[in-house]
Amino acid sequence: VLSPNLSSGCISSRSVWWAIQKAVQDSGERNPSKPPVSLEGQLLWRDFNNLMAHSAGEKWSQMKGNRYCRFVRWDDNPELLDAWKNGQTGYPWIDACMMQLKNEGWIHHLGRHAVACFLTRGDLWQSWEQGALHFESHLLDADYALNSFNWLWLSCSGFFYQYFRCYSPIAFQKKNDPSGSYIRKHLPILSKLPDKYIYEPWKAPITVQKTAGIRIGVDYPKPIVDHATISKENMSKM
């Protein structure tokens, strides 16, 4: 993982850029991927994030006074925020991501997207500022410019406004990991559940829960919101 080394300045983006050029040249690949999806494109995107942060100045990490941030009347619910921080939302993929963040200081970028969307416009309607602060305090690769940019983007507060595109806390990851291996690793309390219920444990019959050694609502929470309902309500708010 290079990101902590980049964010801390142990390796420069130029070094990575030229290493990519050499790797592509040595591979003999005639049609390598191009920006923005290529690694070079990601480095350019990283510098764009830095440019926007520099342009915004000291207001970059907040909503008020940030020239690039849309004003949204987010809720302020400490209980929902704490449930999200501590992996207690009742949605296993979201909770597994938050537990990996807590225990390892890192999450794959698609996991970061999902938990950011879930906290803000997707489900809990809590301020992106709170999410950004939590990431800043836990990520090994925490980066002032990139962190706030990504939270602005995922909350549809800045740069990205397709609010109708919402990460499902169930279906999205299910396509990539149908057996829930990631969930089983970071939420071992759910590890004995059958694949059928690993993303939606509240649907497991009591007999299945007993066999798996878990009781939903006691050992692991039921969903704190109904995604199918609340996501549509939040789209209307946006």
Side-chain angles (χ1 to χ4, degrees), residues 213-230:
I214 185 173
R215 190 71 182 272
I216 302 304
V218 178
D219 306 308
Y220 179 75
K222 296 178 181 179
I224 56 176
V225 292
D226 177 6
H227 172 73
T229 301
I230 201 70

Side-chain angles (χ1 to χ4, degrees), residues 4 10 17-18 32 37 45 47 76 88 90 98 125 141 200 227 229 235:
C10 294
W17 177 277
W18 290 113
V37 297
W45 186 249
D47 277 356
D76 181 12
Q88 292 289 300
M98 296 308 293
W125 202 255
D141 60 3
E200 300 172 279
H227 172 73
T229 301
M235 285 181 195

